[in-house]
Amino acid sequence: MDTQTKKRIPRGVRTKKKIFDAAIELIKEKGFQNVTIDEICASCNVTKGAFYYHFDSKESVIEQIHLDTDQIVEKKIAQLLKMAPSLKIFQDMSYFYGEITVERGVEVMRHKLHSNIDTAIANGGYRDFFDPEKRPALKLFKSIFLEIQKNGEVINNVTFEDFFRHLIIAYNGVVLDWCCNDGCYDLPSEIELATKRYLKSFQTKYQD
């Protein structure tokens, strides 16, 4: 990150990102249970007080993953919006999500999937994850979907929320299998293939 960029990003945001990145790298290398908060702080040269200012626990670092991913994805979406609206945007994004997931690593994603289950139990579901009003990246996805639906490429009797929820179910299923197999295959390509098959069910030409 260059000096000018650092000046534009508030110090607290930079510190939180530094802690997050250090934690993810350590968990990826050693596994969630084998990493301590002291190690995370030492790795990124911050105090324990700074850690707890930004995160309640190691678990809350894992919970930050989808928000961090959203920030990465928003930049990618900006590029894709230059294309004509099409379901292929969702296919391309699925491959991109796969690349991000591989970068996170098997150990991190194993615990993230486990965390999703715990969050669902504690909160009665993780509905905020599917709320476009609470996630800018998801709001962009919704606008793309509605434009495609308006253009007649997608069947009308489906909401974006249902479309996206089942897309994530397909994604999580492939990621779970990838984790169970210790990341031994090309995850982005498998996710892209699963997404391509899923998208066919929404195309108007497949409608009865």
Side-chain angles (χ1 to χ4, degrees), residues 26-45:
L26 284 169
I27 294 168
K28 184 162 69 172
E29 177 187 345
K30 302 175 65 175
F32 183 83
Q33 301 299 337
N34 298 320
V35 174
T36 67
I37 290 173
D38 286 334
E39 284 180 286
I40 295 170
C41 293
S43 176
C44 59
N45 195 30

Side-chain angles (χ1 to χ4, degrees), residues 31 69 108 157:
T69 301
V108 171
N157 61 339

Side-chain angles (χ1 to χ4, degrees), residues 145-192:
F145 177 83
L146 293 177
E147 182 65 25
I148 296 168
Q149 198 170 49
K150 183 180 178 181
N151 290 342
E153 185 183 347
V154 177
I155 56 178
N156 287 319
N157 61 339
V158 62
T159 64
F160 169 76
E161 287 72 21
D162 279 344
F163 168 84
F164 186 75
R165 186 170 69 88
H166 285 92
L167 183 61
I168 292 300
I169 289 171
Y171 163 79
N172 281 339
V174 179
V175 173
L176 175 61
D177 183 72
W178 179 73
C179 288
C180 289
N181 285 282
D182 293 321
C184 70
Y185 57 77
D186 181 359
L187 179 66
S189 294
E190 286 294 320
I191 288 178
E192 184 183 37

Side-chain angles (χ1 to χ4, degrees), residues 6 9-16 54:
K6 284 183 178 179
I9 301 175
R11 183 177 178 182
V13 175
R14 295 201 308 268
T15 300
K16 185 174 184 178
H54 293 288

